[in-house]
Amino acid sequence: MSMKINQLEIENVKRIKAVKIEPSANGLTIIGGRNNQGKTSVLDSIAWMLGGDKFRPSQPQRDQSVIPPNLRIIMSNGLVVERKGKNSALKVTDPNGEKGGQQLLNDFVEQFALDLPKFMESTSKEKAQILLKIIGVGDKLVTLEKEEQEHYNERLTIGRIADQKEKYAKEQPYYNDAPAELVSASELIKKQQDILAQNGENQRKRERLHQLEQEDQRLMEQIQELLKKQEAVRADLAIARMDAKDLEDQSTAELEQNISDIEEINRKVRANLDKEKAEDDAKEYRRQYDQLTKKLDSTRDAKNDLLKTAALPLPELSIKDGEPVYKGQQWDNMSGSDRLKVSTAIVRKLNPECGFVLLDKLEQMDIEVLKEFGEWLEAEGLQAIATRVSTGEECSIIIEDGYVAGQEHPVVEGWKPEWKKGVF
């Protein structure tokens, strides 16, 4: 059973002179009044009583009062909480009369319930982390989000490389008339050298023929002297003529042209190979990108499944991209009433033992929304004590000059009438 406030008595705190309140067990208790009458002082007093010295006002004692603050709260389980005396010492008494201290209160009082603006002013990420913590999936979601981010970063890198490879492949020229493999210049050069060597041999034979013909002419002139040699020379001449008869030189023009063109051919071959390599690389990186996309989608599905099965404080409340979302709206797009509803539900979930929450300045809600919010609180079994600058019928009580309007004003000890000598 969650703890709530049954009765509240405050004297001499900030702007409060003497106030006694019995809040509704469920729903909304609105403390109304004009500005500077003591409405917020009521909430500050409750926070100080139940939250400890960190909620102590900087100047707790009411101005013009010589009597220290006196505070008393009776909780729904009979627990009595008091602060009184010069040092406003805390005294906690359970229904059995046993004494306790702040630690006993801390077991059922949620700090955010005493200071809801602190929760509401936190970042969306911080709200989401609190929500994830209380539904028990924070660690799992952190792991999935880390995995999701790693997949996303890896896919982003792969995608950029794939785009670059595809762009590079498109920019490369392609030559349909180029051979599939690089052409070897050494083979053509060897063929050229063989032909040149053969042609050289042919030239040598031609020169030999010429020498013999000259020798024959010279011998003819000296025939008388060379008759003995004529027969041998004519035999050699016959042989030489036979060797030179069918000789025919081969052209190297085609080989020379091929050698000249080989660098251009190989340039085209290399260009084709580069384009094919770039296209293959692009396909591989695109395959990796698609594979990482599947992993990323799988991780996101796991996140969604995790949140779908989590026991969230409100039916339409979820977490998307690390931020709380209610009725499809992120925090900065929620209405003021929805923000209060979400905050109240989360704070209640933080500590189910705490059945109340303090809300300051409900002026942002119109009467209809205020009624709707109160009905939601009542349906949830929650108690909310709130302030509103108003004296309308929606207010449960009205604070005037430190008192509850309509109540008998008790004599506040330490009060002295203000008068000056000679003034009547």
Side-chain angles (χ1 to χ4, degrees):
M1 189 70 177
S2 58
M3 297 275 282
K4 299 173 185 177
I5 298 173
N6 277 3
Q7 186 175 318
L8 168 68
E9 297 177 14
I10 309 169
E11 294 181 0
N12 297 321
V13 180
K14 297 182 72 175
R15 293 183 183 275
I16 295 296
K17 294 178 180 177
V19 165
K20 181 177 180 179
I21 301 173
E22 293 183 3
S24 300
N26 295 313
L28 191 57
T29 298
I30 298 180
I31 302 171
R34 300 188 309 277
N35 288 322
N36 301 319
Q37 299 300 302
K39 302 183 302 300
T40 302
S41 297
V42 174
L43 300 189
D44 291 344
S45 299
I46 298 173
W48 179 24
M49 259 195 287
L50 300 180
D53 286 338
K54 65 180 177 181
F55 290 95
R56 178 189 178 97
S58 59
Q59 295 181 344
Q61 187 167 316
R62 180 176 61 84
D63 287 345
Q64 302 177 356
S65 174
V66 297
I67 303 300
N70 186 9
L71 307 96
R72 188 171 187 266
I73 286 181
I74 299 177
M75 304 303 295
S76 58
N77 68 339
L79 201 69
V80 179
V81 184
E82 297 175 289
R83 283 188 182 275
K84 58 185 178 180
K86 183 177 180 180
N87 297 321
S88 300
L90 175 67
K91 179 183 177 183
V92 182
T93 308
D94 69 16
N96 298 320
E98 297 293 330
K99 300 294 190 297
Q102 187 63 48
Q103 185 57 49
L104 179 60
L105 299 178
N106 291 344
D107 291 339
F108 69 87
V109 176
E110 170 53 44
Q111 299 299 301
F112 281 131
L114 304 177
D115 188 8
L116 196 63
K118 181 178 180 181
F119 173 83
M120 297 180 70
E121 291 164 7
S122 63
T123 67
S124 294
K125 297 288 185 185
E126 290 169 339
K127 292 184 184 73
Q129 289 302 315
I130 293 172
L131 182 54
L132 291 171
K133 180 180 178 181
I134 62 178
I135 62 178
V137 298
D139 293 340
K140 294 179 182 177
L141 195 66
V142 167
T143 301
L144 287 172
E145 285 182 339
K146 181 180 179 182
E147 184 179 338
E148 177 187 12
Q149 190 62 46
E150 288 173 353
H151 290 333
Y152 176 81
N153 291 339
E154 186 179 359
R155 189 187 70 163
L156 181 64
T157 301
I158 291 295
R160 287 175 176 171
I161 295 174
D163 291 341
Q164 291 171 358
K165 292 291 184 181
E166 288 170 354
K167 182 175 181 294
Y168 176 74
K170 288 178 181 178
E171 291 174 349
Q172 296 306 303
Y174 194 81
Y175 305 95
N176 293 323
D177 58 341
E181 298 180 356
L182 294 173
V183 178
S184 173
S186 61
E187 293 180 3
L188 295 177
I189 292 172
K190 185 176 182 303
K191 288 181 180 180
Q192 182 191 38
Q193 290 174 343
D194 291 343
I195 292 174
L196 291 175
Q198 184 62 47
N199 291 347
E201 179 64 19
N202 291 348
Q203 183 62 28
R204 186 189 64 77
K205 290 179 179 181
R206 292 188 190 97
E207 290 175 356
R208 175 63 176 160
L209 174 61
H210 182 65
Q211 290 173 0
L212 290 173
E213 287 175 342
Q214 286 184 338
E215 182 68 15
D216 181 62
Q217 182 66 30
R218 187 176 62 80
L219 289 174
M220 287 294 291
E221 293 174 355
Q222 299 175 1
I223 192 167
Q224 292 299 327
E225 298 174 3
L226 300 173
L227 287 173
K228 293 180 181 180
K229 295 180 181 179
Q230 185 180 31
E231 187 176 353
V233 171
R234 285 181 177 177
D236 291 340
L237 179 59
I239 294 171
R241 284 174 177 166
M242 288 295 294
D243 290 341
K245 180 179 180 181
D246 297 323
L247 293 178
E248 182 179 349
D249 289 345
Q250 296 183 35
S251 173
T252 63
E254 183 179 354
L255 288 172
E256 290 173 355
Q257 183 61 43
N258 288 343
I259 292 172
S260 176
D261 294 342
I262 193 169
E263 187 57 36
E264 176 63 15
I265 293 172
N266 286 343
R267 184 188 68 79
K268 293 180 178 180
V269 172
R270 291 190 186 95
N272 289 351
L273 292 173
D274 287 344
K275 185 178 182 67
E276 291 169 358
K277 175 72 164 53
E279 289 174 345
D280 290 342
D281 288 346
K283 289 178 182 177
E284 173 59 21
Y285 282 111
R286 189 58 60 193
R287 184 193 65 77
Q288 294 180 30
Y289 182 90
D290 293 340
Q291 190 175 22
L292 287 169
T293 298
K294 291 179 180 178
K295 290 183 179 180
L296 190 60
D297 291 341
S298 176
T299 303
R300 286 173 175 169
D301 289 341
K303 279 178 55 183
N304 292 333
D305 292 342
L306 185 64
L307 292 175
K308 285 178 183 177
T309 57
L312 291 162
L314 289 172
E316 296 181 79
L317 181 63
S318 183
I319 296 175
K320 184 177 180 181
D321 298 329
E323 295 188 15
V325 175
Y326 183 58
K327 296 181 179 178
Q329 300 295 324
Q330 292 180 319
W331 183 265
D332 58 347
N333 288 328
M334 292 181 198
S335 65
S337 59
D338 280 348
R339 289 183 183 181
L340 277 173
K341 186 181 292 187
V342 169
S343 301
T344 303
I346 291 175
V347 166
R348 195 238 188 123
K349 192 76 173 179
L350 276 169
N351 187 350
E353 294 294 320
C354 185
F356 67 90
V357 64
L358 307 182
L359 305 171
D360 197 16
K361 300 180 176 61
L362 288 191
E363 293 82 20
Q364 59 186 309
M365 290 187 180
D366 59 34
I367 299 300
E368 184 177 346
V369 174
L370 202 63
K371 181 181 178 183
E372 179 186 341
F373 182 56
E375 290 173 349
W376 175 80
L377 287 168
E378 192 166 356
E380 292 292 318
L382 279 168
Q383 178 189 65
I385 303 174
T387 65
R388 179 178 173 89
V389 179
S390 172
T391 57
E393 294 181 357
E394 76 277 10
C395 299
S396 307
I397 61 169
I398 305 294
I399 299 291
E400 291 181 352
D401 192 27
Y403 294 105
V404 176
Q407 287 184 359
E408 292 186 7
H409 295 178
V411 177
V412 179
E413 296 183 39
W415 179 82
K416 295 181 180 180
E418 296 182 2
W419 60 275
K420 294 181 181 180
K421 185 177 181 180
V423 177
F424 299 94

